[in-house]
Amino acid sequence: QTIYLSDYTPPAYLVDSVHLTFKLGATDTRVISRIAFRPNPDATSKEFFLHGQDLRFVSAMIDGAPITPDLSAEGLRYDAPDAPFVFEAEVEISPSTNTSLEGLYMSNGMYCTQCEAEGFRKITYYPDRPDVMAVFTVRIEGDLPVLLSNGNPVAQDEGWAEWHDPWPKPAYLFALIAGDLVALSDTFTTRSGRKVDLNIWVRPGGDEAKRAFGMDALKKSMAWDEEIYGREYDLDLFNIVAVDDFNMGAMENKGLNIFNASAVLASPETATDADFERIEAIIAHEYFHNWTGNRITCRDWFQLCLKEGLTVFRDQQFTGDMRSHAVTRIDDAMVLRAHQFREDNGPLAHPVRPDSFVEINNFYTATVYEKGAEVIGMLKLLVGDADYAKALDLYFDRHDGDAATIEDWLRVFEDVTGRDLSQFARWYSQAGTPRLTVHESYADGTYQLHLRQETPPTPGQETKEPLVLPIAVGLLNENGAEVVPTTVLEMTQAEQTFSFGGLSSKPTASILRNFSAPVIVKHDKTNAERAFLLAHDTDPFNRWDAGRTLAQDLLMRMVCDNATPDTGFLDGLAAVLRDDTLDPAFRALVLRLPSEEDTAQALFDAGHTPDPAVINDVHETLKLHIAQHLQDTLPRIYADMSVDGPYTPDAEPAGKRALGNAVLALQSKLDGGKAAAQQFASADNMTQQLGALRALLQIAKGAHELAAFEAQWGHDRLVMDKWFALQVSLAPADQAAATAEKLTAHPDFDIKNPNRFRAVFGGLRGNTAGFHHRSGAGYDLLADWLIKLDPLNPQTTARMTTAFDTWKHYDTERQTKIREALERIAGTSGLSGDTHEMVTRLLG
Ligand code: ARG
Ligand code: ZN
């Protein structure tokens, strides 16, 4: 059943307070609710309907009198009074058989919840929509030592605990945890003097030593949000719990954030630098939701980007402040291009604010999250930092306690700046990635940029309107000096020309600095100009991007015209690598080639049919050329990148390790893996251990190290996820599906654990040449396992179907095989609504 944004109506009844009692039992948890309802004066309908799914109804009462409501698979209806009343109900649920990991479920003996977006309806009958906000009091009864819910503890004793959350909230922010848990505790004092108790809870038996970094990240996040956004924490307690079985990264439940263990637990021996950085960002993200998401929530799920786009934007700012702004921006742009541009260019394209959906869980996407964040970055660039700060203050003042909309969000910017944002608002409703075509001319000291924007059609949106594009431009003279510093051009028309006068010679333009808008730039620069920008651009993003474009262009010429790597490109790379004044993290990024998937997308975009096998060959060839060209430099750089002293995950040593590992991978192409085997043997941290293993597997070596790794880490789930993933993602193309299949028979493979399932099948889809091997074995295996997973966990199944979203880019043979796989999934009897919606959209 499709739901439309335009059909929104206010709730018929509002909730003043909720009292819940949980009598925990693995297969027979009783949930007793007492809910104070009152008619909503703004309602257009008077129907009393409560969502409810997979509940065993026991009894219900209104104002103390038993009632017999109408029950359906979706919920409960009753002819309720048109006046305030108290509704009470008792239902029974079975957490231990709930493999969907939505609602109340069990993970390794621990009770836990995931309610966003619509999971609360699997706990009890309730108006499960974000515009119904209420104060919750929760009593938990169960013989487990730790019983947690939102807000502050009220009272507890052997076998029970009571919690009260003073902040009205929608049901999706409800959480409950019960288990045998141990906390790392700390405190944070807010700037107005509130002392907040902080805890990170894990199950005892191995994870205790992995909590310190997360605690540190939490305290940094709390201080940052006070300093940069003026936002303080608003309870006396903040709990984080690590859970092994979790569909997503983490969840911002009020005062009780629940995390996928992989998104919070880290130690030097078990987590890579990239893991540490990701954990820091996710802790910050969930913490920042306390204001952007919880205090101000969404009116309905179409407004998801209101909280997610803004919170991603905030966590990206935080990462930039904690680490390097240039490197963070490059990382974020790479993610956006790899995932969001891909989404925009296929059958799953949708606007940042979708206008319809069947299953909202299918819209927790790169478009809503990452493009949603880009839209906020553009807004900030257009209005300037000072007005952005004023607009955010007004947003928090005006909407605290509200379930708000994108219109509300844009209105605060209009009110602060006096701007008309009606054209800018198209970023929220129009899907697709704009192509920005650049032509330039120069005469008599005047340089002109002729810009044209065009957004290709996306499903359901044939014609597109021009968007407001902030285009940051700088001009460089022939010595690499800036003759025009970064200037933001505001493009509003389909075609526009911008002039720069008073120049003494034709400049080189650096366009879309710092990736100022999420567009694809089409600019026929010569490779000499690109090499010039790679050597001289004063904007680090564009300096990196010049190298990236050179590499992508070369790879495409190698695929299409059998070109061989030119020394111009290789020398440019060498110059950056040898430039000790540059941040090693930045040099590592320049050295990293576009992925095979990136090349496939670029080829398709240029009108070719990508062949993953050829792309794989060409990438290998180019890496070998680079290794040979840099052969004299590699050992020197590798030695320079060694880090003294004990491991810390800070940006500086992490950057050195990143460059060291990049060099090691190249070196391995020349020395048969000698240096990599040495690094593997001597590594005292996961970054270098895994970097070495990766370098070995990439040259089809490392069997011994793979076994040693398993022997060393077999007891550690999170590390073993890496072991599963790496083998599949780096398997030779013709063995990828067989490797994945073999691993599904490993005793530690567990279809019910999303991290493990994603390790194997995420590894498979990430092995572009392997997944798309012409035998079709990759497609068949993934389809088989998605069909097996769907009845257990529809959400993770539906998400994994996106592996097929580029299928129309390929040759007829591959397309036929993928279509068959998708049709086989679609034809499975009893298929979940989640997966059905995805395969239907994919098939188009
Ligand atoms: N709000 C969470 C976050 O952004 C994501 C929860 C998504 N859950 C889901 N079932 N789709 O951190
Ligand atoms: Zn979020």
Side-chain angles (χ1 to χ4, degrees):
Q1 189 206 345
T2 307
I3 302 166
Y4 296 91
L5 167 60
S6 54
D7 287 347
Y8 173 82
T9 56
Y13 288 85
L14 300 176
V15 175
D16 287 321
S17 65
V18 189
H19 191 290
L20 300 174
T21 301
F22 288 82
K23 299 180 188 239
L24 296 176
T27 57
D28 55 354
T29 290
R30 287 281 169 134
V31 185
I32 300 152
S33 57
R34 192 167 72 238
I35 308 169
F37 283 102
R38 78 186 139 87
N40 178 4
D42 300 330
T44 46
S45 141
K46 300 235 167 284
E47 190 187 42
F48 183 66
F49 173 73
L50 304 181
H51 298 99
Q53 210 182 306
D54 306 333
L55 307 173
R56 288 196 285 278
F57 177 84
V58 179
S59 64
M61 294 192 286
I62 283 187
D63 289 333
I67 58 164
T68 309
D70 298 334
L71 301 176
S72 69
E74 282 80 47
L76 173 160
R77 261 186 189 79
Y78 192 70
D79 195 5
D82 189 12
F85 61 88
V86 174
F87 170 88
E88 289 168 273
E90 180 161 348
V91 301
E92 194 176 88
I93 52 180
S94 172
S96 69
T97 52
N98 179 4
T99 56
S100 70
L101 312 186
E102 188 185 49
L104 179 66
Y105 65 95
M106 295 197 78
S107 172
N108 291 324
M110 184 198 314
Y111 290 85
C112 56
T113 53
Q114 171 56 37
C115 292
E116 187 180 2
E118 299 181 330
F120 191 76
R121 62 192 61 183
K122 292 182 161 187
I123 293 176
T124 193
Y125 291 105
Y126 198 77
D128 188 7
R129 42 186 291 170
D131 56 353
V132 174
M133 299 170 82
V135 171
F136 280 64
T137 306
V138 175
R139 179 181 168 87
I140 311 169
E141 298 176 13
D143 58 356
L144 285 159
V146 177
L147 307 170
L148 306 175
S149 191
N150 314 86
N152 299 311
V154 179
Q156 56 194 305
D157 208 331
E158 192 78 11
W160 62 271
E162 264 180 40
W163 291 81
H164 178 75
D165 180 1
W167 297 103
K169 67 168 175 291
Y172 82 86
L173 292 173
F174 167 81
L176 178 152
I177 290 282
D180 179 9
L181 302 171
V182 286
L184 172 70
S185 302
D186 207 329
T187 62
F188 179 86
T189 304
T190 69
R191 65 175 178 191
S192 65
R194 181 197 285 270
K195 186 161 161 261
V196 185
D197 289 322
L198 312 174
N199 297 301
I200 299 184
W201 298 90
V202 298
R203 291 185 309 111
D207 288 339
E208 290 89 336
K210 299 186 184 176
R211 296 171 296 187
F213 178 79
M215 183 62 84
D216 201 44
L218 175 59
K219 289 190 284 183
K220 283 182 182 157
S221 306
M222 295 177 87
W224 187 90
D225 213 15
E226 290 186 353
E227 193 191 323
I228 306 297
Y229 279 86
R231 298 296 114 201
E232 279 185 46
Y233 189 59
D234 53 6
L235 289 167
D236 300 331
L237 177 61
F238 190 83
N239 280 315
I240 287 178
V241 182
V243 174
D244 295 322
D245 302 283
F246 205 77
N247 278 331
M248 314 281 284
M251 180 62 210
E252 69 264 22
N253 315 300
K254 185 79 188 190
L256 178 51
N257 287 2
I258 299 183
F259 276 64
N260 186 322
S262 75
V264 53
L265 301 181
S267 68
E269 298 74 27
T270 60
T272 62
D273 291 326
D275 294 331
F276 278 101
E277 184 171 336
R278 171 171 176 264
I279 287 168
E280 183 176 82
I282 298 180
I283 298 240
H285 180 98
E286 305 312 329
Y287 176 73
F288 297 159
H289 266 316
N290 190 55
W291 275 94
T292 52
N294 301 2
R295 289 286 286 260
I296 305 179
T297 191
C298 301
R299 184 192 72 174
D300 55 72
W301 290 118
F302 295 102
Q303 321 294 327
L304 182 59
C305 63
L306 179 73
K307 74 176 179 82
E308 295 304 346
L310 178 53
T311 305
V312 170
F313 181 70
R314 277 150 51 70
D315 83 52
Q316 293 175 346
Q317 286 182 298
F318 170 78
T319 300
D321 284 353
M322 295 298 119
R323 291 162 183 269
S324 143
H325 284 282
V327 170
T328 301
R329 190 65 188 136
I330 293 168
D331 282 339
D332 292 340
M334 273 196 292
V335 168
L336 188 86
R337 285 171 171 169
H339 298 110
Q340 201 282 321
F341 284 11
R342 166 175 170 157
E343 195 161 72
D344 258 347
N345 287 335
L348 303 178
H350 56 275
V352 170
R353 178 168 68 178
D355 34 40
S356 71
F357 61 75
V358 176
E359 174 50 66
I360 184 59
N361 282 324
N362 288 333
F363 287 85
Y364 285 70
T365 59
T367 298
V368 170
Y369 276 63
E370 272 77 30
K371 187 176 177 182
E374 291 300 319
V375 171
I376 289 167
M378 286 189 285
L379 200 49
K380 181 164 178 278
L381 193 56
L382 288 169
V383 304
D385 293 353
D387 278 353
Y388 175 80
K390 277 191 213 151
L392 268 283
D393 285 344
L394 180 60
Y395 179 63
F396 292 122
D397 270 4
R398 186 184 281 176
H399 292 294
D400 188 10
D402 286 354
T405 61
I406 289 302
E407 283 71 20
D408 295 329
W409 162 255
L410 290 174
R411 197 161 307 115
V412 298
F413 282 86
E414 292 189 320
D415 290 353
V416 161
T417 63
R419 270 175 181 255
D420 174 0
L421 291 174
S422 47
Q423 186 186 359
F424 185 83
R426 285 178 191 155
W427 277 108
Y428 287 98
S429 57
Q430 184 166 291
T433 306
R435 294 346 191 226
L436 180 69
T437 309
V438 179
H439 291 287
E440 39 189 345
S441 58
Y442 177 79
D444 306 326
T446 297
Y447 172 78
Q448 290 198 312
L449 270 178
H450 310 283
L451 305 178
R452 186 158 54 82
Q453 59 162 307
E454 196 178 5
T455 304
T458 53
Q461 284 188 348
E462 277 313 307
T463 55
K464 306 283 182 179
E465 306 287 334
L467 296 164
V468 181
L469 304 182
I471 302 166
V473 174
L475 301 182
L476 304 174
N477 71 12
E478 60 278 7
N479 304 318
E482 274 189 358
V483 286
V484 173
T486 305
T487 307
V488 179
L489 310 175
E490 197 172 323
M491 184 177 189
T492 56
Q493 313 290 311
E495 287 191 53
Q496 243 169 302
T497 296
F498 297 89
S499 301
F500 301 84
L503 300 166
S504 54
S505 61
K506 180 174 188 280
T508 299
S510 166
I511 294 168
L512 207 72
R513 288 189 144 184
N514 203 36
F515 198 52
S516 62
V519 303
I520 293 173
V521 177
K522 307 239 172 207
H523 186 183
D524 285 324
K525 275 202 277 282
T526 63
N527 280 346
E529 284 172 298
R530 289 189 182 129
F532 175 82
L533 289 172
L534 172 60
H536 300 293
D537 202 327
T538 43
D539 178 70
F541 180 86
N542 269 2
R543 189 166 179 191
W544 165 80
D545 206 33
R548 187 78 165 181
T549 318
L550 274 174
Q552 192 58 270
D553 177 74
L554 170 59
L555 285 161
M556 288 166 70
R557 283 185 292 111
M558 288 170 74
V559 169
C560 300
D561 318 325
N562 271 318
T564 44
D566 49 293
T567 43
F569 169 72
L570 297 169
D571 287 340
L573 219 53
V576 171
L577 180 63
R578 290 192 196 110
D579 184 346
D580 294 331
T581 66
L582 290 171
D583 177 3
F586 178 82
R587 287 189 268 163
L589 286 169
V590 173
L591 209 57
R592 194 198 298 181
L593 291 179
S595 69
E596 293 174 31
E597 191 63 50
D598 290 333
T599 302
Q601 278 190 53
L603 283 165
F604 176 74
D605 233 29
H608 304 284
T609 301
D611 183 336
V614 174
I615 294 172
N616 184 235
D617 273 357
V618 159
H619 274 248
E620 287 306 315
T621 306
L622 180 55
K623 284 182 202 159
L624 185 61
H625 273 274
I626 293 173
Q628 283 162 347
H629 193 80
L630 298 176
Q631 127 161 249
D632 298 334
T633 315
L634 295 176
R636 203 260 296 160
I637 307 282
Y638 182 73
D640 285 355
M641 291 307 125
S642 82
V643 180
D644 295 329
Y647 175 93
T648 74
D650 300 340
E652 204 203 304
K656 286 180 136 189
R657 284 186 291 266
L659 184 54
N661 276 343
V663 165
L664 186 70
L666 292 172
Q667 181 69 28
S668 301
K669 313 251 171 223
L670 307 174
D671 72 1
K674 205 166 144 253
Q678 266 162 24
Q679 178 171 312
F680 184 89
S682 62
D684 66 352
N685 63 79
M686 184 49 65
T687 306
Q688 289 181 313
Q689 193 177 14
L690 204 69
L693 184 57
R694 177 186 300 274
L696 289 167
L697 293 176
Q698 276 167 349
I699 55 166
K701 297 244 164 98
H704 161 75
E705 284 78 5
L706 214 43
F709 192 97
E710 186 187 14
Q712 184 183 356
W713 293 116
H715 62 281
D716 187 307
R717 270 188 205 83
L718 296 177
V719 180
M720 283 303 282
D721 285 332
K722 300 181 194 303
W723 181 84
F724 276 89
L726 204 61
Q727 297 177 64
V728 185
S729 62
L730 296 182
D734 60 347
Q735 290 163 42
T739 305
E741 188 167 21
K742 188 187 81 197
L743 287 174
T744 59
H746 189 285
D748 291 334
F749 180 78
D750 175 7
I751 187 173
K752 290 185 184 158
N753 178 254
N755 288 358
R756 193 53 52 87
F757 190 89
R758 278 190 289 258
V760 173
F761 291 101
L764 181 59
R765 71 176 288 180
N767 183 333
T768 305
F771 182 55
H772 291 286
H773 189 264
R774 59 169 17 89
S775 64
Y779 310 144
D780 288 344
L781 187 74
L782 182 61
D784 290 348
W785 280 90
L786 292 179
I787 289 168
K788 277 187 230 191
L789 183 65
D790 187 63
L792 299 168
N793 186 335
Q795 252 185 61
T796 291
T797 310
R799 181 157 283 261
M800 195 65 84
T801 62
T802 58
F804 293 114
D805 73 346
T806 52
W807 71 287
K808 293 264 169 84
H809 299 187
Y810 291 102
D811 51 89
T812 13
E813 223 179 298
R814 287 189 171 90
Q815 282 197 34
T816 307
K817 291 193 163 98
I818 299 180
R819 176 187 285 283
E820 280 166 13
L822 284 170
E823 282 172 348
R824 194 151 63 82
I825 299 170
T828 304
S829 73
L831 195 71
S832 69
D834 304 57
T835 305
H836 184 263
E837 179 185 27
M838 291 301 283
V839 288
T840 307
R841 287 165 68 206
L842 284 162
L843 283 164

